[in-house]
Amino acid sequence: MNKTTIALLLLLAFNACKAQNTLSKVAKKHPNIVYILADDLGIGDVSGLNPDAKVSTPNIDNLINNGITFTDAHTTSSVCTPSRYSIMTGEYAWRTKLKSRVLDGYSKTMIEETKDTAPKLLQRNGYETAMIGKWHLGWNWVIEDEENLEMNPKNPYQFNEDISKKVDYSKPFKGGPTDNGFDYFFGLNASLDFPPYVYSENNKLVTIPTETMKPDGKDKDFPGGRKNDLVGGQKLKRKGDKAPGFRAEQVMLDLTNKSVDYISNYKEKKPFFLYIPLTAPHTPVYPRDEFLGKSKAGIYGDFIQELDWTVGQIVSALKKKGFEENTIIIFTADNGASKASFPEEFEEKYNHKPSAHLKGRKASLHQGGHTVPFIVQWKNVIKPNSKNNTTISLGDLYATCADLLKVKTDNNQGVDSYSILSLLKGKENYSRKASVYSNFAGRFSIKKDGWKMDLNPKKGSSYLFNIADDPSETMNLFYDDSYAEKKEELTLALNEIILNGRSTEGEPLENKGPKIWKGLFWLKNKKN
């Protein structure tokens, strides 16, 4: 072996040791992050947040006791897909071509290749990243004759026909979690009431769906008719392709076991980011038999108690592995409680209110549609059993991760995301001036300085609330002429956030699609 070869080997060994030392320093310096996302959960569905709740959530309550509760946390939308898009990208979803509605199990990916995400940011800064659960942001299946298929005019990421028979399930898909920053993925493409009913691992299906899931839901022959079949509605499943042996009733258990296994078997010296978007209590409301009758709010409450059990299993796994002391645990939800999962008629029957004192549910612009539990435990950093009433957004994950890592990000990424790191540490350095919310129909709401305005083209359906004094939205001031200046102030603030292509500081950007679209009805006659 000549001197040059020896020198080269020594240099490689030195660099390997240097890289390993760097990873060790990263592991010691930065905490693990476990982000648990419930699916359709209101603030009244957590016993530690609602003394009148008819459910018991001791494991979530332990996070409250050991961490901080944000009492005014909001999703960017009151429905699944746009809310999850903001969590991943730090950007309002209506800046994409998706101006309303949600995706289904065959929709194309809505996160563009050039778009940065929170997991990508963490991944390139020394984190191992994993996702176990529901994606609901589309991915690109291998589809026969795709070039001749038309897209749905109401949803630019969704095909205009049933394409299930054109999908080659044996081929890897693109644009899913592993193409958007996750080293590992196990879970579902969309909600548990959308086909195909099959698990995926990384970028391939675990099993080819060769069977058909029978539809479930409201029965037109139910006594009194479909309208009165409230429990039937709780069990909604759409007909579609299904993997042999797939059972909706087992999904929460499968996701729990996968999450626990990931933590228990983790051996990397890097810190990890584990994103766990669960499927409860979204329809179909299917608690396992061991949870039936455990709550006082019917099968919906039982399902929430299974969700709480899952949280307990995840935290226990962190403790057993010795990770809890250096792990940020976040528990939240993608939007408020669903009327399908827990019909409004059941509020009186069970004396349980998923939105607590707030008005509205999932898909609504009212507070109950997008106000969610947001609880963070970070041992030795966050003061136990503390509260913060700052109006924050689930879209703040991207900027918070960048702040945690002390890294600069591209000025054109995370354009609606603000760091909450200082708030977690008991300080008040949070720079968001206004928050924008959207609903299923793509209509807009803005909240700023204790005031909230919802805009609707339908006569008599717009709202203005002094939300600081009237959090339950009981007194609509929109049609009171004495508040004309407040309406103008909020409208101008909303216009600026929308038309600038960003709400953070920086050069204006262009939103995807038309500059003025249907949801911006008040701007349709303006040139700008």
Side-chain angles (χ1 to χ4, degrees):
M1 190 179 294
N2 59 39
K3 292 181 179 180
T4 303
T5 303
I6 293 171
L8 181 60
L9 290 173
L10 288 172
L11 179 61
L12 290 172
F14 172 77
N15 287 336
C17 290
K18 185 177 179 182
Q20 190 62 49
N21 288 335
T22 300
L23 286 178
S24 296
K25 288 178 181 178
V26 169
K28 290 177 182 177
K29 183 178 180 182
H30 296 309
N32 304 311
I33 305 170
V34 175
Y35 195 111
I36 305 170
L37 186 72
D39 198 354
D40 294 359
L41 188 78
I43 60 167
D45 289 328
V46 176
S47 55
L49 302 179
N50 179 15
D52 298 323
K54 294 303 180 286
V55 297
S56 177
T57 56
N59 295 297
I60 300 171
D61 295 353
N62 281 337
L63 295 179
I64 293 172
N65 295 332
N66 292 324
I68 186 170
T69 298
F70 286 86
T71 61
D72 200 22
H74 297 260
T75 58
T76 57
S77 171
S78 57
V79 286
C80 299
T81 295
S83 174
R84 290 161 190 264
Y85 178 85
S86 296
I87 292 171
M88 288 291 100
T89 66
E91 178 180 279
Y92 291 123
W94 41 262
R95 297 202 190 281
T96 72
K97 292 181 291 183
L98 188 75
K99 307 302 185 186
S100 62
R101 301 174 175 263
V102 300
L103 304 188
D104 66 13
Y106 295 101
S107 298
K108 297 185 73 64
T109 183
M110 66 179 290
I111 301 181
E112 297 182 347
E113 289 183 16
T114 56
K115 188 67 60 181
D116 202 17
T117 65
K120 279 183 182 179
L121 175 65
L122 292 164
Q123 191 180 52
R124 65 175 178 266
N125 283 281
Y127 274 73
E128 192 76 12
T129 58
M131 174 186 164
I132 297 170
K134 166 185 163 180
W135 178 236
H136 212 169
L137 291 170
W139 61 50
N140 299 327
W141 300 95
V142 174
I143 302 171
E144 176 190 342
D145 198 32
E146 182 178 350
E147 63 274 12
N148 293 319
L149 296 175
E150 293 182 358
M151 304 307 291
N152 189 324
K154 293 182 178 180
N155 189 327
Y157 298 98
Q158 195 164 301
F159 292 97
N160 206 28
E161 62 183 87
D162 178 9
I163 63 156
S164 58
K165 304 308 176 189
K166 297 177 180 289
V167 175
D168 188 341
Y169 290 123
S170 68
K171 298 284 180 65
F173 51 80
K174 295 181 179 180
T178 55
D179 288 322
N180 284 288
F182 290 103
D183 296 303
Y184 176 77
F185 164 65
F186 177 88
L188 302 160
N189 183 320
S191 297
L192 197 49
D193 52 10
F194 278 123
Y197 300 97
V198 57
Y199 288 125
S200 299
E201 190 165 31
N202 294 325
N203 65 342
K204 292 188 71 175
L205 299 189
V206 173
T207 309
I208 301 299
T210 57
E211 298 180 357
T212 301
M213 177 73 81
K214 294 180 180 179
D216 204 353
K218 294 190 175 186
D219 183 357
K220 63 181 175 60
D221 297 322
F222 182 83
R226 180 176 283 138
K227 184 177 180 181
N228 292 320
D229 186 10
L230 302 176
V231 174
Q234 290 181 288
K235 298 180 178 181
L236 171 67
K237 291 200 305 291
R238 295 168 177 85
K239 181 181 177 181
D241 293 345
K242 177 180 85 75
F246 184 94
R247 295 179 62 231
E249 296 89 333
Q250 289 295 116
V251 169
M252 280 293 291
L253 179 61
D254 291 342
L255 299 182
T256 302
N257 289 339
K258 277 286 183 181
S259 300
V260 168
D261 287 347
Y262 181 87
I263 295 166
S264 302
N265 297 323
Y266 193 77
K267 295 178 181 178
E268 295 282 348
K269 292 188 177 180
K270 300 178 182 181
F272 63 83
F273 170 61
L274 177 57
Y275 174 51
I276 311 173
L278 298 166
T279 55
H282 192 292
T283 52
V285 181
Y286 278 149
R288 284 183 289 128
D289 289 348
E290 64 191 87
F291 293 96
L292 288 175
K294 296 296 183 182
S295 77
K296 296 179 181 179
I299 57 173
Y300 176 76
D302 300 341
F303 209 20
I304 290 171
Q305 295 201 191
E306 181 173 1
L307 166 67
D308 181 75
W309 173 84
T310 294
V311 172
Q313 295 297 301
I314 293 167
V315 175
S316 293
L318 291 168
K319 287 180 180 177
K320 288 178 183 177
K321 194 71 174 180
F323 289 156
E324 188 187 20
E325 293 295 313
N326 192 38
T327 298
I328 299 173
I329 304 173
I330 300 169
F331 176 82
T332 186
D334 64 341
N335 46 247
S338 163
K339 290 181 182 179
S341 295
F342 191 74
E344 290 180 310
E345 293 88 340
F346 283 1
E347 290 193 13
E348 184 175 346
K349 177 179 179 179
Y350 294 107
N351 195 25
H352 175 74
K353 295 186 176 182
S355 298
H357 62 287
L358 300 180
K359 183 177 182 178
R361 296 277 204 95
K362 174 183 178 178
S364 165
L365 285 178
H366 288 299
Q367 289 283 86
H370 46 80
T371 305
V372 289
F374 195 90
I375 302 151
V376 187
Q377 177 187 298
W378 188 4
K379 292 289 186 74
N380 305 312
V381 176
I382 291 175
K383 182 181 176 183
N385 201 23
S386 55
K387 289 182 173 57
N388 189 293
N389 62 2
T390 305
T391 303
I392 66 166
S393 168
L394 266 63
D396 291 334
L397 177 65
Y398 182 88
T400 303
C401 289
D403 198 5
L404 180 71
L405 295 165
K406 293 182 171 57
V407 296
K408 288 187 177 181
T409 58
D410 189 313
N411 201 34
N412 293 343
Q413 304 287 357
V415 295
D416 300 301
S417 189
Y418 295 80
S419 174
I420 65 167
L421 186 62
S422 71
L423 302 178
L424 297 178
K425 294 181 176 181
K427 300 176 184 178
E428 296 296 328
N429 184 22
Y430 182 71
S431 54
R432 183 183 295 277
K433 295 178 181 178
S435 298
V436 176
Y437 315 114
S438 61
N439 67 358
F440 180 82
R443 291 192 287 270
F444 284 89
S445 174
I446 182 170
K447 183 181 179 186
K448 182 177 183 286
D449 297 333
W451 288 84
K452 177 174 173 281
M453 183 175 69
D454 307 344
L455 295 173
N456 191 322
K458 186 178 178 182
K459 187 176 180 180
S461 297
S462 293
Y463 295 91
L464 176 69
F465 298 106
N466 182 342
I467 212 73
D469 296 334
D470 182 20
S472 300
E473 299 176 294
T474 61
M475 187 175 293
N476 184 12
L477 305 172
F478 190 89
Y479 300 99
D480 185 332
D481 291 341
S482 61
Y483 293 94
E485 288 186 7
K486 179 57 66 176
K487 288 194 298 183
E488 183 178 6
E489 175 196 340
L490 292 173
T491 301
L492 290 174
L494 178 59
N495 292 350
E496 183 178 2
I497 289 171
I498 293 172
L499 298 177
N500 275 0
R502 67 185 316 136
S503 57
T504 53
E505 292 184 3
E507 290 294 319
L509 301 170
E510 291 289 331
N511 300 312
K512 297 293 181 180
K515 191 166 187 177
I516 305 297
W517 58 92
K518 183 179 178 181
L520 308 183
F521 65 92
W522 68 95
L523 283 172
K524 277 200 284 187
N525 296 323
K526 292 187 178 183
K527 292 182 180 181
N528 63 339

